[in-house]
Amino acid sequence: MAVLLLMPALTPVGLTAAAQEAPRTGAATENRGGEAGMDDGTDGRATVRASGGFEVTLTPQATGEAGGGSGEGAKLGRMILDKRFQGDLEGTSEGEMLTAMAPVQGSAAYVAVERFSGTLHGRSGGFALVHRGVMDRGGQSLSITIVPDSGTGALTGIRGVMGISIAEGRHSYTLDYSLPDTPAP
């Protein structure tokens, strides 16, 4: 079974936790946030970049009636996300991921929602992220956006997009964001 390089690692249903890591081939995936025609979510405010690494644990969960059974077509899966961020983002996030693994190798999709809590460039608070990832016979598209108006504490009003890279089994992120009081560069 192939491990797909979508954030953080989209895995076939039932794959063990030990096999959930991206291959150590140096391959990487990058998301610059948003899809064609979409803006960066910062409403024209000055944008700041945060970067660093993270560790992720995926815990497979039972699927509902739609994901169970021996039906034909895509296999559906559901996982709990648990992440630990280091760098400009310091903290944790938790969330849920739904997956669809097509019968054609290299074709799959996932959606996820997670909630971060911690600090961003020293500012305490939190925010939610929404993910949409698609693989089409190996070609990849990934969009991760801060949920509008989900910021709390000193991160109230945050907007932006996240990028993810996986290289040599290590996960890293960039977060291009703005806050209502972000000074112009």
Side-chain angles (χ1 to χ4, degrees):
M1 286 189 229
V3 175
L4 307 176
L5 293 178
L6 292 174
M7 183 277 143
L10 178 61
T11 58
V13 177
L15 193 59
T16 64
Q20 291 180 3
E21 182 176 315
R24 295 183 185 273
T25 62
T29 183
E30 175 97 19
N31 163 54
R32 284 307 333 125
E35 297 177 3
M38 294 181 70
D39 68 22
D40 66 2
T42 61
D43 290 340
R45 300 182 287 193
T47 302
V48 177
R49 175 163 286 180
S51 61
F54 69 94
E55 297 170 2
V56 61
T57 302
L58 298 173
T59 306
Q61 302 293 298
T63 57
E65 285 184 34
S70 59
E72 294 183 27
K75 292 185 179 7
L76 303 182
R78 183 172 152 256
M79 297 184 208
I80 300 295
L81 299 169
D82 182 25
K83 294 182 183 176
R84 305 277 184 259
F85 288 89
Q86 304 89 36
D88 297 328
L89 270 176
E90 288 283 341
T92 61
S93 75
E94 54 188 22
E96 290 197 36
M97 175 190 290
L98 299 175
T99 64
M101 300 295 296
V104 174
Q105 184 174 354
S107 293
Y110 89 94
V111 293
V113 177
E114 68 180 290
R115 182 179 50 219
F116 170 80
S117 180
T119 62
L120 171 58
H121 283 134
R123 297 174 72 146
S124 295
F127 53 86
L129 293 161
V130 60
H131 303 236
R132 178 190 177 272
V134 177
M135 279 192 72
D136 183 353
R137 298 182 183 213
Q140 300 179 21
S141 168
L142 179 60
S143 172
I144 306 172
T145 305
I146 294 175
V147 174
D149 301 316
S150 66
T152 62
L155 301 178
T156 298
I158 190 169
R159 296 191 179 273
V161 294
M162 181 176 274
I164 299 291
S165 293
I166 305 171
E168 298 179 6
R170 301 182 76 125
H171 297 78
S172 60
Y173 67 86
T174 57
L175 179 65
D176 293 329
Y177 72 95
S178 68
L179 287 160
D181 61 351
T182 304

